[in-house]
């Protein structure tokens, strides 16, 4: 038996993980601004993880996890213009 983690710390980890994934996705395409297609691809990835968990006896599908994933992506989208300014001003 494995305990199912469903506290706020778990949701914070989802937000943090998808924030980092958004940063990495944006950095992978430096000539393109972070856009809807990138965000949609990340959400689809999160959904695929949740679907797989649905079929595992020791995990569960959670729309709250999907919402936390979306919050991480949205948080990055909000601060990405500021991060681009910092990165372009500090290039060597």
């Amino acid at each position: 038996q494995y305990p199912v983690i469903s506290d706020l710390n778990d949701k914070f980890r989802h937000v943090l993980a998808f924030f980092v994934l958004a940063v990495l996705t944006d950095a992978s395409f430096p000539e393109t601004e972070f856009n809807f297609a990138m965000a949609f691809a990340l959400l689809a990835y999160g959904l695929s993880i949740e679907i797989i968990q649905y079929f595992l006896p020791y995990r569960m599908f959670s729309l709250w996890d999907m919402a936390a994933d979306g919050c991480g992506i949205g948080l990055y989208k909000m601060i990405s213009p500021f991060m681009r300014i910092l990165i372009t001003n500090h290039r060597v």
Side-chain angles (χ1 to χ4, degrees):
Q1 291 256 351
Y2 296 96
V4 176
I5 300 171
S6 62
D7 59 358
L8 287 177
N9 191 28
D10 175 55
K11 301 311 174 235
F12 175 74
R13 289 179 182 167
H14 275 267
V15 171
L16 182 62
F18 276 80
F19 178 85
V20 170
L21 286 171
V23 169
L24 294 173
T25 301
D26 194 20
S28 296
F29 303 96
E31 67 283 346
T32 306
E33 188 173 329
F34 191 77
N35 57 41
F36 177 78
M38 293 174 184
F40 182 78
L42 288 174
L43 277 177
Y45 176 66
L47 177 62
S48 67
I49 291 170
E50 294 302 318
I51 290 171
I52 290 168
Q53 287 183 154
Y54 176 79
F55 293 102
L56 299 174
Y58 53 91
R59 302 293 299 202
M60 64 183 218
F61 180 92
S62 172
L63 289 177
W64 290 112
D65 288 350
M66 290 289 305
D69 298 346
C71 286
I73 296 166
L75 180 64
Y76 177 71
K77 180 62 179 166
M78 286 189 306
I79 69 166
S80 63
F82 303 109
M83 290 184 69
R84 285 187 180 272
I85 291 169
L86 289 174
I87 292 169
T88 55
N89 287 340
H90 289 90
R91 284 196 177 152
V92 178

